[in-house]
Amino acid sequence: MMSRHRDPLTKDLFSWEPPKVGVGYSADVIGRGRLDNKIARIVSHALRDAREDKGLSRAEVARRISDFLGRPVSESMLNKWSSEGSEDHRIPLDAFIGLVHATGAREALGFVPGEFGLTVIEAEYADLIEEQLLFEHEQEVAARRQALAARRRARR
């Protein structure tokens, strides 16, 4: 019997996964414990991803954050912000935004809303979600109208 060769141009239908809609790091990255430790882990992970995926050193990230903020940010500040043991140094909000801008670690943006049970989504999905909510509302209104019409007919 002849063996079947797979066509390299044909996509594997079973390998498809839906696109990630929400933005954020997994619970494995954030971990447990105190809030300041979670934030340090996120900063550390963003810096690690920037190094591994984009080849950005901490010094380069610090330079990019400095340029973004218009004030100096040093590599040692990044080291302190990313250390769970450095209790006296927390990343300020503007520097956190600068970190996301400098590293491209948009996943970090999901952390704060996630603490409140909310999710950050890609902007391209916002209209789709609103459209679905409107569709569901229209169905509720139609069902209510049908119930009222049935009640009216039953009284005749």
Side-chain angles (χ1 to χ4, degrees):
M1 184 188 315
M2 242 170 90
S3 66
R4 297 175 120 178
H5 293 284
R6 187 173 179 278
D7 180 2
L9 301 177
T10 302
K11 293 183 178 181
D12 182 1
L13 296 176
F14 296 108
S15 68
W16 183 84
E17 291 184 21
K20 186 177 175 186
V21 176
V23 175
Y25 286 122
S26 69
D28 296 344
V29 171
I30 297 169
R32 301 182 113 149
R34 296 181 358 199
L35 182 59
D36 53 352
N37 290 345
K38 291 178 182 180
I39 294 169
R41 281 186 219 117
I42 289 169
V43 171
S44 177
H45 201 77
L47 292 169
R48 185 178 323 120
D49 286 350
R51 183 187 69 233
E52 291 175 0
D53 298 342
K54 298 176 180 153
L56 296 176
S57 67
R58 287 187 178 207
E60 175 61 18
V61 171
R63 187 195 62 72
R64 289 180 177 200
I65 294 172
S66 296
D67 291 347
F68 180 78
L69 296 177
R71 66 176 165 83
V73 171
S74 68
E75 184 177 355
S76 70
M77 292 170 85
L78 288 179
N79 292 336
K80 288 177 182 176
W81 293 338
S82 64
S83 171
E84 291 183 57
S86 181
E87 294 186 12
D88 294 336
H89 297 89
R90 300 289 168 259
I91 188 168
L93 181 58
D94 63 339
F96 184 80
I97 294 168
L99 174 74
V100 173
H101 185 268
T103 62
R106 296 180 345 173
E107 296 84 4
L109 296 173
F111 173 69
V112 175
E115 289 293 300
F116 298 96
L118 302 172
T119 301
V120 174
I121 61 163
E122 299 279 350
E124 67 182 281
Y125 297 111
D127 289 341
L128 184 63
I129 292 169
E130 184 178 2
E131 183 181 350
Q132 179 62 33
L133 291 171
L134 287 171
F135 175 74
E136 290 173 6
H137 179 69
E138 288 171 348
Q139 287 183 318
E140 290 172 7
V141 169
R144 178 72 178 141
R145 287 180 71 192
Q146 288 176 352
L148 289 171
R151 219 169 51 195
R152 186 173 29 87
R153 284 191 300 271
R155 287 189 207 139
R156 289 188 202 169

